[in-house]
Amino acid sequence: MNQDYIKADNWSIIEEGFDVERVKSSESLFSIGNGAMGQRANFEEHYSGETFQGSYIAGIYYPDKTKVGWWKNGYPEYFAKVLNAPNWIGIDIEINGENLDLHTCTSVRDYRRELNMKEGWYNRSFEATLKNGTEISVNVRRFLSLDLDEVGVIKYEITPLNKDSKIIYKPYIDAGVTNEDANWEEKFWEPLDVKHSENKAFVTARTFKTHFIVTTFMQNSILSNGKNLNITTENIESNKEKIQFIYAVAVAKGETSAIEKIGGYTVSLNHENTQHGAENAIITASAKGYDQLLQDQIASWAKIWEMSDITIDGDVKAQQGIRFNIFQLNQTYLGKDSRLNIGPKGFTGEKYGGSTYWDTEAYCIPFYMATKDQQVARNLLTYRYNQLDKAIENATKLGFSNGAALYPMVTMNGEECHNEWEITFEEIHRNGAIAFAIFNYYRFTGDYSYIPEKGLEVLIGIARFWHQRANFSTHKNKYMILGVTGPNEYENNVNNNFYTNYIAKWCLDYTFEQIQKVSIEYPSDHKRVTEKVKITDAELQSWKKVADNMYFPFSEELNVYLQQDGFLDKELVRVADLDRSQRPINQKWSWDRILRSPYIKQADVLQCFYFFEDHFTKEELNRNFEFYESFTVHESSLSPCVHSIQAAVLDKMEMAYTFYLRTSRLDLDDYNKEVEEGCHITSMAGTWMSIVEGFGGMRVKNDALHFSPKIPKEWNGYSFKINFRNQILKVSINHNDTQFSLEGATELTVFVNGKAVLVEPNSLVTV
Amino acid sequence: MNQDYIKADNWSIIEEGFDVERVKSSESLFSIGNGAMGQRANFEEHYSGETFQGSYIAGIYYPDKTKVGWWKNGYPEYFAKVLNAPNWIGIDIEINGENLDLHTCTSVRDYRRELNMKEGWYNRSFEATLKNGTEISVNVRRFLSLDLDEVGVIKYEITPLNKDSKIIYKPYIDAGVTNEDANWEEKFWEPLDVKHSENKAFVTARTFKTHFIVTTFMQNSILSNGKNLNITTENIESNKEKIQFIYAVAVAKGETSAIEKIGGYTVSLNHENTQHGAENAIITASAKGYDQLLQDQIASWAKIWEMSDITIDGDVKAQQGIRFNIFQLNQTYLGKDSRLNIGPKGFTGEKYGGSTYWDTEAYCIPFYMATKDQQVARNLLTYRYNQLDKAIENATKLGFSNGAALYPMVTMNGEECHNEWEITFEEIHRNGAIAFAIFNYYRFTGDYSYIPEKGLEVLIGIARFWHQRANFSTHKNKYMILGVTGPNEYENNVNNNFYTNYIAKWCLDYTFEQIQKVSIEYPSDHKRVTEKVKITDAELQSWKKVADNMYFPFSEELNVYLQQDGFLDKELVRVADLDRSQRPINQKWSWDRILRSPYIKQADVLQCFYFFEDHFTKEELNRNFEFYESFTVHESSLSPCVHSIQAAVLDKMEMAYTFYLRTSRLDLDDYNKEVEEGCHITSMAGTWMSIVEGFGGMRVKNDALHFSPKIPKEWNGYSFKINFRNQILKVSINHNDTQFSLEGATELTVFVNGKAVLVEPNSLVTV
């Protein structure tokens, strides 16, 4: 953890001073994205030091052949992973015959990066002395347009400080890129075509196997003191996958020269002809020009912040943390396209393959439901609906039948991509989260239509899986679920993981109820679905039998639910009593030692208490929280947020605040020493939950919003907004009171600590 | 299973008829070896059909970089594997301008392979018509000398049948070989030197990383109708790793031409200068000549058979099966060199890397103890003693301390080579078998000296491991061993595997006793060892506490020990009730399904009853056998032998016989459809145990041999020999009586069904 690395600031992420050791970390933290594409904060100019190059396009993936030491039946042949996309940001710079390279400059001064989250741009500035003695001042700004989401813009300004200089700009597009995480060092891109005209260039390439076609484009302008010189490239260097332009300018000492580069991607997902698409994108973008594009960008981000901002008064680091989380979530996924989803690293790295995990349903959907139009959450549900056939195929491969569906652990197109048996085959609780999200969507939005239209089929596939996956133990006269991995991945192949058994039973019950409800309220949908899936009353009764007789491990002695059958046989040394030098255990201990230890990676029994809070008493929550929290090492980014929420519920506010800081500044302070690999995007939604559901105590019960506001002592006040069924409610909380204000024309009754409060539109209600 | 493939014969393995589909299987079955080297039955001449080329040298390995999908802490960086060695058997043949290639001949007739186990040679003969119309008759004999174990001999005879022919022999050595199972398609051999003089050639190569130097050599003679023509090579083709000689001869129709090739390897393990070694090997071998070498071979095998043969009267397939097993064991390991061990595939394939497994201690040692000088078994024990430091290192890496030793699951030089966490880290019962072998060696040979000299240190390292590996469950007030994989690899990461807990407790108790015994009987060894390992009385008392309070899962209801804590929660459908189409489950089911099923790959609880038979009553054995046998699918080659022995003990003779056939003809009848990959060498020792310990009922109790002879109804009689403490006892059993005869000068009292029988030397005793 490095608390001095990123400067505290309410609206920006700021790094000051050039440190070669931090280049890769900053490349992650200063990443930019617009939902359709994104990239790490790689330098435009060549850098010979250590760097991790990454540009990504949403929905463009490659099925990399699985690498495995010991093949197990059922493993997938491929791991679909997000692709490192052709580089369009590159601009080699030559100054007085020397290539600009921060790694070889004799001095770099006043180096500063800023990611302005309010306005949605990234800026880098520095002064440097080259080996040839030239001193220059550089300022580079880059942003990816929210409005024209195929387009990004770079303005790269250079001012020679100590002599008149010859500057050569060499902007390029390079499709000769590879993934760092490629299993077999295969090439993923097949170059098809390189074209250019005037200051424009186009490189079209196709992904092997998946055959996505992408045209990467650029258009360059050279400016002097802000004025376009209207010069064209002197020369063109190109091969089958790369094209580079050459612009040479003489710049007097103290004058500022600049290159503006418009670039981006058009993809065959959206265009019949990506080349034409790219030409049009350039025309549209250049018609606006750099300044207008930047103004539009600021306005678009203002709109996002208007709805999704959370303010925190009196704690800059907490404020910066939550805004960084909200900013990254919006950079990654904007909910426009139901073919897309939320990769764990967004556009900030390759790890986890950019694929979809249960993170989406368990952590991200609440954020998107509350801060966007409900269509966004519905798109995320539809993504799974569209992959139902594949989930059924997946389950069939594992020996299930009759339309049972097992959603993949990791997926891009619906096919399972993961290949570690204890996860791939056994971390089946993911199926529960997907059903829970359907329930949660209806609970929050009140939009029941999704269930008869689409959700019911998904629920039935999932219920069938659980029904078949449980087995009857004659020994205990109960149904059990053997051989699973729960949310706590520090236990593998355990029997009767409480969380898994609980959500399995819940899925069976809930699906049963929804079938009844749809049969009454949407008879034609009921007929359509039940005929399609051929469900019988006998099958439903059999579900009921399994659900009613599900086994839940419980300790009478401790009065807590057991994480799994064998939990109490472990050596129950609390984290507080574990030698600090042994942590993080995932780096210090061999895997078997972790597995037989009582240490918990992330909320597991407590995840159940989070999802189904109202099924349990506060006393039960307290007992289980105190027991399991004492063994939790929080070595997953998804862990602290759930603990923060529950600590807040239990009035353990100091603990709640500590967890909040940990979740919100996980990447900024690099708690896990791995931010180089990218940011933890999906857990950022958990940070949002920590404030809104934790401190704010927001819940939806019986179609109404409930709050039980609390505030960390470190804060003066905080506020957030909720889109509740198309009504925008702003909630502001300080140490004395809670204020509500409502947009629109209709009143809304909310509950504060159980007491009804009527909020009239456009008037402030203080409680 | 193909019962017609190999012809039934008492002494030979015979294949008749050329079938391209069987080439790879026969390459395994007709493999030859002499303990120091060996090779698959690849054709000498070029073959363009499917083949799996393999030549191997004992003790020459390569650390192949580990391949793994998801790295876990503690995984080894390398997997040491047996190397495909340079090819010295190759002889390209050109007849009237066409290369002889059985895959392209227009007809192949009277094709016959014979592996003569009695005399230790392999013969291949056929008639073929080439595309150019030449008809030839070919006879090739090959053997690897037992006496000169660096030398092999080939006699390749050709008779043109329909015309006078020009035959060109092109014998070669090729070090440009690769492993089929190489993880990264790396080259393992670096060629150093290619030399030749007259009819001799030498190719010296060095293994990368391990730097073993090997000179592969050949000397060729061309014969006509049995007479050496004394011609030299016409021409030499060579590059940096291959050398080929060219001999052209005119052969009249009906005349027989031949090439005799002497070849083999000299290795830096045994020679300062491998080139000189090779020259000397050729001199020694050619001084003898082909005929003498063959006579010596027959005589040497006669000596082996004299001691280790088992005869079975009235059941040719059973006879052939057991001899094949005994033959292969002797081809693989002769016990001369404590640096060597017994790879699971011997010299017949690459699978399992040719490394050492617990198979050696659990299955092979009894065979070698009873059929060889006791030094052989002592060498196998010493192999582990020499690797004790590495075992301590291995345990340290996994978090153990104070000299605790965990022997590797798979090893070549003492370092762990396996990388599947559920096996590598958790199949720790192997440590128990290594201790058991020490006990077993003393029990059988009466040679206690090994324990004070070497064994005690090994025992202490192992006991320390178990002591630390067990944890106290406050819940059950017992010591437990969590997170293990037992011998049944169809369960992973289970708690309290009965076998593991039992052998752990036994190791602690046994080591404790040996320390006391050595302290009294060998005080200076006791002082040396205890000072070296710094053991205290407090530590010993702590061992005792763990051993005395070890937990053993047991079902009161079923009155059987439980394979592990969760066994009874499984869906207990017996194998007999499992749809036949679902088997073998390791091919039909996904891994998770196998894991949560009750099906058992190989003896697990029953392995405990096998090792510690005298700790349990026959009634207990019967109950546990009937319970676990009903769930056992025997998908490990190591499974049927233990079940056969126990079925015999329990008078279930039909079952015992069925299991015997399955174990003894596993490869010959290719039960598991995988003989192409090589033969199952280590389980062959289990076949021997099935007869001697199963049907013969041989046990050693209180320093005496006990027998409880039984005989399958299919047999007329059978006999075997036992080297019991340097006395050679022959046991012959038929349906009426048991006969004993003894070599040497001293009498021996044995027990038959508990009754003492005095056997005088050189006289037959019938019981």
Side-chain angles (χ1 to χ4, degrees), chain A residues 540-598:
Chain A
L540 291 178
Q541 292 314 316
S542 182
W543 291 7
K544 210 65 198 139
K545 198 168 135 201
V546 171
D548 291 347
N549 294 285
M550 186 64 79
Y551 171 75
F552 299 106
F554 181 78
S555 164
E556 299 288 346
E557 190 191 338
L558 299 171
N559 207 3
V560 297
Y561 290 103
L562 293 180
Q563 190 163 283
Q564 45 94 3
D565 277 348
F567 194 78
L568 288 189
D569 288 330
K570 296 187 164 196
E571 200 159 18
L572 294 171
V573 177
R574 284 156 201 272
V575 177
D577 299 324
L578 179 65
D579 193 322
R580 188 68 225 179
S581 70
Q582 303 294 297
R583 295 172 62 189
I585 61 171
N586 67 13
Q587 287 171 26
K588 302 295 176 68
W589 286 4
S590 71
W591 187 243
D592 59 314
R593 191 173 181 189
I594 291 174
L595 290 180
R596 64 181 183 271
S597 83

Side-chain angles (χ1 to χ4, degrees), chain A residues 300-319:
Chain A
S300 293
W301 272 104
K303 255 186 247 161
I304 290 176
W305 286 116
E306 172 63 23
M307 186 56 228
S308 62
D309 191 24
I310 291 183
T311 67
I312 296 175
D313 184 20
D315 188 343
V316 178
K317 280 181 168 260
Q319 174 70 77

Side-chain angles (χ1 to χ4, degrees), chain A residues 6-26:
Chain A
I6 297 299
K7 309 300 151 206
D9 185 279
N10 280 328
W11 272 113
S12 282
I13 306 301
I14 297 166
E15 177 189 15
E16 286 173 356
F18 181 63
D19 181 347
V20 290
E21 299 295 326
R22 284 183 187 157
V23 168
K24 281 163 77 174
S25 297
S26 292

